[in-house]
Amino acid sequence: MRDVLAQNAVNSVRTRVSSTYMLAALIILGLVLQAPLVRAVGASARLQTAVTIFAGVFVQAVPFLALGVLVSGGIAAFVSPAVLRKVLPRNEPAAIGMAGLAGMALPGCECGVVPVARRLADQGAPGSVALAFMLSAPAINPVVLIATAVAFPGEPGMVGARFTGSLATSVVMGLIWSRIGRPAWLLPRGSGREHCVAGRTRWEVCTEAARHDLLQASAFLVLGAAAAAALHVLVPPAWYERLAGQLVIAILVMAVLAIVLALCSEADAFVAASMSTLPLLPRLVFLVVGPAVDVKLFAMQAGSFGRRFALRFAPLTFVVAVACGTVAGYIFLGGAR
């Protein structure tokens, strides 16, 4: 037992030292190369756009990522598997529905909720329940719904359609995963429990778990934001203007664009509202797909749950989100408009 605790302590120190040195090295490298980097960016308009998109995605996501890892740390310290078993219904479909609705309680974006979902799975929640919560929280929380109402004044159907389409996506994906999901597709559970070693206070467990999740999630957020910026400059802005008369193609293109742009769910409604030449239905699908699957989210899911999981989960989520968004649009928006 002592050997295990000693090894855990050594690993924790190594991780902390390594992370600190890496952060310090990146800061020093940025300061040393500041002038050449500024000149390189200033010489290319497309590079300037890419840097702006990267900064926008990263800065929008960081506050919610911080909130998410704090919640994650709290779950690691204060929510035991026994507590989860008491709170969650024993019936898995009912637990999935409850987790989907519980997403309303976490006012954050998809970046912050990924480590929370990972922690829920580590603490004993069924994978289907954790994934349903992960999909619903960034899409149906009050901040997102209010932003949607502000972005689409006079169109209350957009709020109802986004809520319904996103909630349906989370519940349907949870139900599907409960049937076809395999434990081998996820990284081993308990990967975060090394924080809960004997002799630590709840506060120490909380801060260590939050630090671990922040370092892991932020690294993949950087990769995802970089991918979003690179892809953003390759999409000509006039393309979507030609899609107004081709509804099916417009829906598919907007769904793919949501993946590429990787916008924060608190800001995507204003981007969708600016595409006024398109009907409401494709823009609604854009809002339903974005918080469920995009390039930065794929990277973060791969880092938290494993690459095998992300390669299976993301394509299936895309199909379900497009279908649920389209059906919700027909119901709440009165058809294809």
Side-chain angles (χ1 to χ4, degrees), residues 116-192:
V116 176
R118 174 74 257 189
R119 190 64 58 188
L120 286 172
D122 285 343
Q123 295 296 83
S128 58
V129 173
L131 298 179
F133 178 80
M134 181 180 72
L135 292 176
S136 70
I140 67 171
N141 69 70
V143 176
V144 169
L145 297 180
I146 291 173
T148 304
V150 172
F152 292 91
E155 293 289 351
M158 284 293 288
V159 179
R162 181 173 195 179
F163 175 86
T164 304
S166 298
L167 179 61
T169 299
S170 67
V171 172
V172 170
M173 280 302 302
L175 293 173
I176 292 175
W177 197 260
S178 69
R179 294 294 185 90
I180 69 171
R182 299 289 183 271
W185 295 349
L186 297 173
L187 287 176
R189 289 192 178 196
S191 58

Side-chain angles (χ1 to χ4, degrees), residues 10-20 208 211-212 215:
V10 170
N11 291 339
S12 177
V13 171
R14 285 177 179 174
T15 302
R16 185 180 299 109
V17 170
S18 176
S19 301
T20 304
E208 175 63 16
R211 184 200 62 80
H212 171 274
L215 289 173

Side-chain angles (χ1 to χ4, degrees), residues 238-258 275 277-279 281-283 285-286 289 318 322 326 330 336:
W239 277 20
Y240 68 85
E241 297 178 359
R242 305 173 184 176
L243 300 174
Q246 306 176 56
L247 186 63
V248 175
I249 297 178
I251 289 174
L252 294 177
V253 169
M254 289 298 289
V256 173
L257 195 61
M275 303 176 184
T277 57
L278 288 177
L281 184 56
R283 289 187 278 172
V285 172
F286 176 86
V289 171
F318 175 78
V322 171
T326 302
Y330 271 95

Side-chain angles (χ1 to χ4, degrees), residues 50-325:
V51 171
T52 301
I53 296 300
F54 173 85
V57 171
F58 189 81
V59 170
Q60 282 180 335
V62 163
F64 300 103
L65 176 60
L67 173 63
V69 297
L70 288 176
V71 174
S72 171
I75 291 173
F78 300 102
V79 180
S80 67
V83 171
L84 280 179
R85 284 193 293 269
K86 291 180 180 179
V87 172
L88 292 175
R90 293 186 179 181
N91 181 274
E92 188 169 357
I96 291 170
M98 179 179 176
L101 290 173
M104 297 181 66
L106 182 62
C109 74
E110 57 272 24
C111 304
V113 80
V114 171
V116 176
R118 174 74 257 189
R119 190 64 58 188
L120 286 172
D122 285 343
Q123 295 296 83
S128 58
V129 173
L131 298 179
F133 178 80
M134 181 180 72
L135 292 176
S136 70
I140 67 171
N141 69 70
V143 176
V144 169
L145 297 180
I146 291 173
T148 304
V150 172
F152 292 91
E155 293 289 351
M158 284 293 288
V159 179
R162 181 173 195 179
F163 175 86
T164 304
S166 298
L167 179 61
T169 299
S170 67
V171 172
V172 170
M173 280 302 302
L175 293 173
I176 292 175
W177 197 260
S178 69
R179 294 294 185 90
I180 69 171
R182 299 289 183 271
W185 295 349
L186 297 173
L187 287 176
R189 289 192 178 196
S191 58
R193 291 183 182 176
E194 68 275 7
H195 312 300
C196 304
V197 298
R200 288 190 175 182
T201 66
R202 290 185 182 272
W203 172 250
E204 290 173 335
V205 171
C206 178
T207 54
E208 175 63 16
R211 184 200 62 80
H212 171 274
D213 289 346
L214 178 63
L215 289 173
Q216 182 184 59
S218 59
F220 286 93
L221 173 60
V222 170
L223 293 177
L231 293 172
H232 190 284
V233 298
L234 301 177
V235 180
W239 277 20
Y240 68 85
E241 297 178 359
R242 305 173 184 176
L243 300 174
Q246 306 176 56
L247 186 63
V248 175
I249 297 178
I251 289 174
L252 294 177
V253 169
M254 289 298 289
V256 173
L257 195 61
I259 297 175
V260 172
L261 294 182
L263 299 172
C264 185
S265 58
E266 274 76 16
D268 59 0
F270 298 97
V271 176
S274 68
M275 303 176 184
S276 56
T277 57
L278 288 177
L280 289 176
L281 184 56
R283 289 187 278 172
L284 171 65
V285 172
F286 176 86
L287 297 178
V288 173
V289 171
V293 53
D294 62 36
V295 290
K296 74 176 186 303
L297 189 56
F298 177 87
M300 295 182 71
Q301 288 175 353
S304 294
F305 293 96
R307 186 165 49 187
R308 286 185 297 178
F309 163 82
L311 290 174
R312 291 175 171 88
F313 187 75
L316 183 58
T317 302
F318 175 78
V319 174
V320 172
V322 171
C324 290

